[in-house]
Amino acid sequence: MANDAEMMLEVEIFDGSGNFADWSEQVILALRQKGVLDYVESEMRVGTAEEPDKRKFKLADSKADGLAVAIILHCMSKSHQKRFIRSTAFEVWTELQKLYGVPNTEDLVSNILELFSFRMDPCNK
């Protein structure tokens, strides 16, 4: 049976110029395969002294979050990696979505309709 390193999905390197939607789907599959997708989808919460049950998971969560960040960064160009070195997986993923994600269809259609509704004033020639 192949070990985890051999089973890692091959994801193309994202440099900001490729198709972010396709790339992000590949990364999500790789994160799911390693069992760390949850760290991308929600902020990691660390327990306080009043919440001892949450505190005992701090180290395990930190390691899993680190693995998620490592997977994402491994799939990015070196120049993009530098921006996210000290971030959590949630922070990295949220920032990538802001920078390269596609707006939802409703917003896109609304913007296109607004663009095509502009009319030139006949008095201003």
Side-chain angles (χ1 to χ4, degrees):
M1 188 162 153
N3 66 28
D4 280 348
E6 292 172 357
M7 294 295 294
M8 179 70 174
L9 293 172
E10 189 172 319
V11 178
E12 63 187 72
I13 301 299
F14 183 72
D15 64 1
S17 64
N19 186 330
F20 178 74
D22 289 346
W23 176 84
S24 64
E25 287 180 19
Q26 293 173 1
V27 172
I28 286 171
L29 288 173
L31 292 165
R32 182 178 293 131
Q33 178 187 30
K34 295 295 184 179
V36 293
L37 182 59
D38 291 345
Y39 295 90
V40 168
E41 295 177 339
S42 62
E43 286 186 88
M44 187 173 71
R45 303 237 183 339
V46 177
T48 63
E50 295 80 35
E51 302 172 299
D53 289 341
K54 288 185 180 178
R55 286 186 66 217
K56 67 181 163 186
F57 294 111
K58 180 180 176 182
L59 182 60
D61 284 343
S62 179
K63 286 182 178 181
D65 185 71
L67 176 59
V69 170
I71 290 170
I72 296 168
L73 294 182
H74 179 74
C75 300
M76 296 169 63
S77 67
K78 298 281 186 210
S79 61
H80 277 68
Q81 289 176 4
K82 293 176 186 175
R83 180 179 190 151
F84 302 107
I85 294 298
R86 298 195 185 274
S87 301
T88 66
F90 178 80
E91 292 167 342
V92 172
W93 200 251
T94 300
E95 185 66 18
L96 287 169
Q97 292 290 333
K98 285 180 192 174
L99 292 171
Y100 302 105
V102 177
N104 69 40
T105 306
E106 186 177 307
D107 288 343
L108 187 59
V109 169
S110 174
N111 290 338
I112 290 171
L113 289 174
E114 184 177 345
L115 176 66
F116 286 111
S117 70
F118 288 120
R119 302 280 183 244
M120 187 171 178
D121 186 359
C123 296
N124 294 334
K125 289 187 180 185

